[in-house]
PDB file of all heavy atoms in Angstrom:
ATOM      1  N   LEU A1025      52.601  74.209 148.381  1.00 93.00           N
ATOM      2  CA  LEU A1025      53.056  75.186 147.397  1.00 93.00           C
ATOM      3  C   LEU A1025      54.428  74.775 146.880  1.00 93.00           C
ATOM      4  O   LEU A1025      55.361  74.567 147.667  1.00 93.00           O
ATOM      5  CB  LEU A1025      53.135  76.586 148.010  1.00 93.00           C
ATOM      6  CG  LEU A1025      51.865  77.110 148.680  1.00 93.00           C
ATOM      7  CD1 LEU A1025      52.100  78.525 149.207  1.00 93.00           C
ATOM      8  CD2 LEU A1025      50.696  77.089 147.703  1.00 93.00           C
ATOM      9  N   LEU A1026      54.535  74.667 145.569  1.00 93.00           N
ATOM     10  CA  LEU A1026      55.795  74.295 144.928  1.00 93.00           C
ATOM     11  C   LEU A1026      56.287  75.492 144.131  1.00 93.00           C
ATOM     12  O   LEU A1026      55.670  75.887 143.138  1.00 93.00           O
ATOM     13  CB  LEU A1026      55.587  73.086 144.017  1.00 93.00           C
ATOM     14  CG  LEU A1026      56.851  72.441 143.431  1.00 93.00           C
ATOM     15  CD1 LEU A1026      57.694  71.815 144.526  1.00 93.00           C
ATOM     16  CD2 LEU A1026      56.472  71.389 142.392  1.00 93.00           C
ATOM     17  N   GLN A1027      57.388  76.090 144.585  1.00 92.00           N
ATOM     18  CA  GLN A1027      57.993  77.205 143.862  1.00 92.00           C
ATOM     19  C   GLN A1027      58.973  76.615 142.851  1.00 92.00           C
ATOM     20  O   GLN A1027      59.968  75.999 143.216  1.00 92.00           O
ATOM     21  CB  GLN A1027      58.716  78.144 144.826  1.00 92.00           C
ATOM     22  CG  GLN A1027      57.862  78.653 145.976  1.00 92.00           C
ATOM     23  CD  GLN A1027      56.749  79.584 145.511  1.00 92.00           C
ATOM     24  OE1 GLN A1027      56.792  80.116 144.403  1.00 92.00           O
ATOM     25  NE2 GLN A1027      55.762  79.790 146.366  1.00 92.00           N
ATOM     26  N   THR A1028      58.693  76.825 141.567  1.00 88.00           N
ATOM     27  CA  THR A1028      59.477  76.222 140.495  1.00 88.00           C
ATOM     28  C   THR A1028      60.027  77.305 139.580  1.00 88.00           C
ATOM     29  O   THR A1028      59.622  78.471 139.663  1.00 88.00           O
ATOM     30  CB  THR A1028      58.608  75.267 139.660  1.00 88.00           C
ATOM     31  OG1 THR A1028      57.835  76.034 138.708  1.00 88.00           O
ATOM     32  CG2 THR A1028      57.665  74.460 140.533  1.00 88.00           C
ATOM     33  N   PRO A1029      60.945  76.955 138.674  1.00 82.00           N
ATOM     34  CA  PRO A1029      61.402  77.929 137.681  1.00 82.00           C
ATOM     35  C   PRO A1029      60.278  78.436 136.794  1.00 82.00           C
ATOM     36  O   PRO A1029      60.422  79.460 136.121  1.00 82.00           O
ATOM     37  CB  PRO A1029      62.430  77.133 136.862  1.00 82.00           C
ATOM     38  CG  PRO A1029      62.908  76.071 137.783  1.00 82.00           C
ATOM     39  CD  PRO A1029      61.706  75.702 138.602  1.00 82.00           C
ATOM     40  N   PHE A1030      59.132  77.723 136.783  1.00 78.00           N
ATOM     41  CA  PHE A1030      58.003  78.119 135.944  1.00 78.00           C
ATOM     42  C   PHE A1030      56.963  78.929 136.727  1.00 78.00           C
ATOM     43  O   PHE A1030      55.921  79.275 136.197  1.00 78.00           O
ATOM     44  CB  PHE A1030      57.322  76.876 135.360  1.00 78.00           C
ATOM     45  CG  PHE A1030      58.272  75.916 134.721  1.00 78.00           C
ATOM     46  CD1 PHE A1030      58.659  74.770 135.385  1.00 78.00           C
ATOM     47  CD2 PHE A1030      58.801  76.164 133.467  1.00 78.00           C
ATOM     48  CE1 PHE A1030      59.552  73.879 134.810  1.00 78.00           C
ATOM     49  CE2 PHE A1030      59.693  75.279 132.888  1.00 78.00           C
ATOM     50  CZ  PHE A1030      60.070  74.135 133.563  1.00 78.00           C
ATOM     51  N   GLY A1031      57.252  79.190 137.999  1.00 87.00           N
ATOM     52  CA  GLY A1031      56.295  79.904 138.825  1.00 87.00           C
ATOM     53  C   GLY A1031      55.752  78.996 139.921  1.00 87.00           C
ATOM     54  O   GLY A1031      56.146  77.838 140.073  1.00 87.00           O
ATOM     55  N   GLU A1032      54.811  79.519 140.683  1.00 91.00           N
ATOM     56  CA  GLU A1032      54.242  78.763 141.800  1.00 91.00           C
ATOM     57  C   GLU A1032      53.168  77.806 141.324  1.00 91.00           C
ATOM     58  O   GLU A1032      52.314  78.151 140.511  1.00 91.00           O
ATOM     59  CB  GLU A1032      53.648  79.724 142.828  1.00 91.00           C
ATOM     60  CG  GLU A1032      53.058  79.014 144.047  1.00 91.00           C
ATOM     61  CD  GLU A1032      52.463  79.987 145.037  1.00 91.00           C
ATOM     62  OE1 GLU A1032      53.242  80.579 145.805  1.00 91.00           O
ATOM     63  OE2 GLU A1032      51.226  80.177 145.013  1.00 91.00           O
ATOM     64  N   GLN A1033      53.219  76.584 141.834  1.00 91.00           N
ATOM     65  CA  GLN A1033      52.182  75.587 141.586  1.00 91.00           C
ATOM     66  C   GLN A1033      51.611  75.140 142.925  1.00 91.00           C
ATOM     67  O   GLN A1033      52.319  75.096 143.924  1.00 91.00           O
ATOM     68  CB  GLN A1033      52.748  74.378 140.822  1.00 91.00           C
ATOM     69  CG  GLN A1033      53.266  74.706 139.438  1.00 91.00           C
ATOM     70  CD  GLN A1033      53.747  73.467 138.707  1.00 91.00           C
ATOM     71  OE1 GLN A1033      53.451  72.341 139.094  1.00 91.00           O
ATOM     72  NE2 GLN A1033      54.498  73.678 137.641  1.00 91.00           N
ATOM     73  N   ARG A1034      50.336  74.780 142.914  1.00 92.00           N
ATOM     74  CA  ARG A1034      49.644  74.368 144.131  1.00 92.00           C
ATOM     75  C   ARG A1034      49.209  72.911 143.996  1.00 92.00           C
ATOM     76  O   ARG A1034      48.656  72.515 142.970  1.00 92.00           O
ATOM     77  CB  ARG A1034      48.436  75.271 144.385  1.00 92.00           C
ATOM     78  CG  ARG A1034      48.796  76.744 144.502  1.00 92.00           C
ATOM     79  CD  ARG A1034      47.535  77.614 144.562  1.00 92.00           C
ATOM     80  NE  ARG A1034      46.741  77.311 145.732  1.00 92.00           N
ATOM     81  CZ  ARG A1034      46.999  77.789 146.949  1.00 92.00           C
ATOM     82  NH1 ARG A1034      48.031  78.586 147.145  1.00 92.00           N
ATOM     83  NH2 ARG A1034      46.228  77.481 147.980  1.00 92.00           N
ATOM     84  N   TYR A1035      49.461  72.146 145.047  1.00 92.00           N
ATOM     85  CA  TYR A1035      49.134  70.723 145.059  1.00 92.00           C
ATOM     86  C   TYR A1035      48.336  70.407 146.319  1.00 92.00           C
ATOM     87  O   TYR A1035      48.540  71.028 147.369  1.00 92.00           O
ATOM     88  CB  TYR A1035      50.409  69.868 145.043  1.00 92.00           C
ATOM     89  CG  TYR A1035      51.153  69.902 143.727  1.00 92.00           C
ATOM     90  CD1 TYR A1035      51.925  71.003 143.373  1.00 92.00           C
ATOM     91  CD2 TYR A1035      51.073  68.838 142.841  1.00 92.00           C
ATOM     92  CE1 TYR A1035      52.607  71.036 142.164  1.00 92.00           C
ATOM     93  CE2 TYR A1035      51.752  68.860 141.625  1.00 92.00           C
ATOM     94  CZ  TYR A1035      52.511  69.966 141.303  1.00 92.00           C
ATOM     95  OH  TYR A1035      53.179  70.008 140.094  1.00 92.00           O
ATOM     96  N   VAL A1036      47.440  69.412 146.206  1.00 90.00           N
ATOM     97  CA  VAL A1036      46.707  68.926 147.370  1.00 90.00           C
ATOM     98  C   VAL A1036      46.903  67.417 147.482  1.00 90.00           C
ATOM     99  O   VAL A1036      47.115  66.721 146.490  1.00 90.00           O
ATOM    100  CB  VAL A1036      45.207  69.262 147.279  1.00 90.00           C
ATOM    101  CG1 VAL A1036      44.992  70.759 147.382  1.00 90.00           C
ATOM    102  CG2 VAL A1036      44.600  68.713 145.998  1.00 90.00           C
ATOM    103  N   GLU A1037      46.829  66.935 148.705  1.00 89.00           N
ATOM    104  CA  GLU A1037      47.063  65.523 148.963  1.00 89.00           C
ATOM    105  C   GLU A1037      45.811  64.723 148.626  1.00 89.00           C
ATOM    106  O   GLU A1037      44.734  64.976 149.166  1.00 89.00           O
ATOM    107  CB  GLU A1037      47.442  65.327 150.430  1.00 89.00           C
ATOM    108  CG  GLU A1037      48.013  63.955 150.727  1.00 89.00           C
ATOM    109  CD  GLU A1037      48.542  63.856 152.140  1.00 89.00           C
ATOM    110  OE1 GLU A1037      48.169  64.711 152.972  1.00 89.00           O
ATOM    111  OE2 GLU A1037      49.322  62.919 152.420  1.00 89.00           O
ATOM    112  N   ILE A1038      45.943  63.766 147.726  1.00 89.00           N
ATOM    113  CA  ILE A1038      44.808  62.942 147.319  1.00 89.00           C
ATOM    114  C   ILE A1038      44.911  61.518 147.859  1.00 89.00           C
ATOM    115  O   ILE A1038      43.938  60.787 147.889  1.00 89.00           O
ATOM    116  CB  ILE A1038      44.658  62.910 145.784  1.00 89.00           C
ATOM    117  CG1 ILE A1038      45.919  62.378 145.121  1.00 89.00           C
ATOM    118  CG2 ILE A1038      44.303  64.295 145.259  1.00 89.00           C
ATOM    119  CD1 ILE A1038      45.785  62.159 143.622  1.00 89.00           C
ATOM    120  N   GLU A1039      46.128  61.114 148.242  1.00 88.00           N
ATOM    121  CA  GLU A1039      46.394  59.865 148.940  1.00 88.00           C
ATOM    122  C   GLU A1039      47.525  60.157 149.913  1.00 88.00           C
ATOM    123  O   GLU A1039      48.196  61.188 149.781  1.00 88.00           O
ATOM    124  CB  GLU A1039      46.816  58.756 147.962  1.00 88.00           C
ATOM    125  CG  GLU A1039      45.763  58.329 146.967  1.00 88.00           C
ATOM    126  CD  GLU A1039      46.287  57.246 146.031  1.00 88.00           C
ATOM    127  OE1 GLU A1039      47.328  56.614 146.371  1.00 88.00           O
ATOM    128  OE2 GLU A1039      45.688  57.043 144.968  1.00 88.00           O
ATOM    129  N   PRO A1040      47.774  59.289 150.850  1.00 87.00           N
ATOM    130  CA  PRO A1040      48.892  59.541 151.764  1.00 87.00           C
ATOM    131  C   PRO A1040      50.206  59.772 150.995  1.00 87.00           C
ATOM    132  O   PRO A1040      50.635  58.921 150.212  1.00 87.00           O
ATOM    133  CB  PRO A1040      48.953  58.260 152.610  1.00 87.00           C
ATOM    134  CG  PRO A1040      47.540  57.769 152.613  1.00 87.00           C
ATOM    135  CD  PRO A1040      47.013  58.100 151.248  1.00 87.00           C
ATOM    136  N   ASP A1041      50.771  60.954 151.174  1.00 88.00           N
ATOM    137  CA  ASP A1041      52.044  61.351 150.565  1.00 88.00           C
ATOM    138  C   ASP A1041      51.981  61.470 149.046  1.00 88.00           C
ATOM    139  O   ASP A1041      53.021  61.547 148.393  1.00 88.00           O
ATOM    140  CB  ASP A1041      53.167  60.374 150.937  1.00 88.00           C
ATOM    141  CG  ASP A1041      53.534  60.479 152.403  1.00 88.00           C
ATOM    142  OD1 ASP A1041      53.202  61.506 153.032  1.00 88.00           O
ATOM    143  OD2 ASP A1041      54.151  59.533 152.923  1.00 88.00           O
ATOM    144  N   LEU A1042      50.790  61.487 148.469  1.00 93.00           N
ATOM    145  CA  LEU A1042      50.646  61.691 147.022  1.00 93.00           C
ATOM    146  C   LEU A1042      49.855  62.971 146.796  1.00 93.00           C
ATOM    147  O   LEU A1042      48.742  63.119 147.305  1.00 93.00           O
ATOM    148  CB  LEU A1042      49.925  60.512 146.367  1.00 93.00           C
ATOM    149  CG  LEU A1042      49.676  60.657 144.852  1.00 93.00           C
ATOM    150  CD1 LEU A1042      51.007  60.635 144.093  1.00 93.00           C
ATOM    151  CD2 LEU A1042      48.753  59.559 144.340  1.00 93.00           C
ATOM    152  N   PHE A1043      50.426  63.881 146.016  1.00 93.00           N
ATOM    153  CA  PHE A1043      49.827  65.188 145.783  1.00 93.00           C
ATOM    154  C   PHE A1043      49.525  65.369 144.300  1.00 93.00           C
ATOM    155  O   PHE A1043      50.293  64.933 143.439  1.00 93.00           O
ATOM    156  CB  PHE A1043      50.773  66.306 146.240  1.00 93.00           C
ATOM    157  CG  PHE A1043      50.989  66.342 147.721  1.00 93.00           C
ATOM    158  CD1 PHE A1043      51.889  65.460 148.329  1.00 93.00           C
ATOM    159  CD2 PHE A1043      50.301  67.238 148.519  1.00 93.00           C
ATOM    160  CE1 PHE A1043      52.089  65.489 149.692  1.00 93.00           C
ATOM    161  CE2 PHE A1043      50.499  67.276 149.883  1.00 93.00           C
ATOM    162  CZ  PHE A1043      51.393  66.397 150.466  1.00 93.00           C
TER     163      PHE A1043
END
Side-chain angles (χ1 to χ4, degrees):
L1025 305 181
L1026 189 66
Q1027 306 293 342
T1028 81
F1030 310 102
E1032 181 181 280
Q1033 297 183 15
R1034 302 172 63 81
Y1035 289 76
V1036 292
E1037 193 173 18
I1038 58 173
E1039 295 179 17
D1041 291 341
L1042 178 67
F1043 293 80

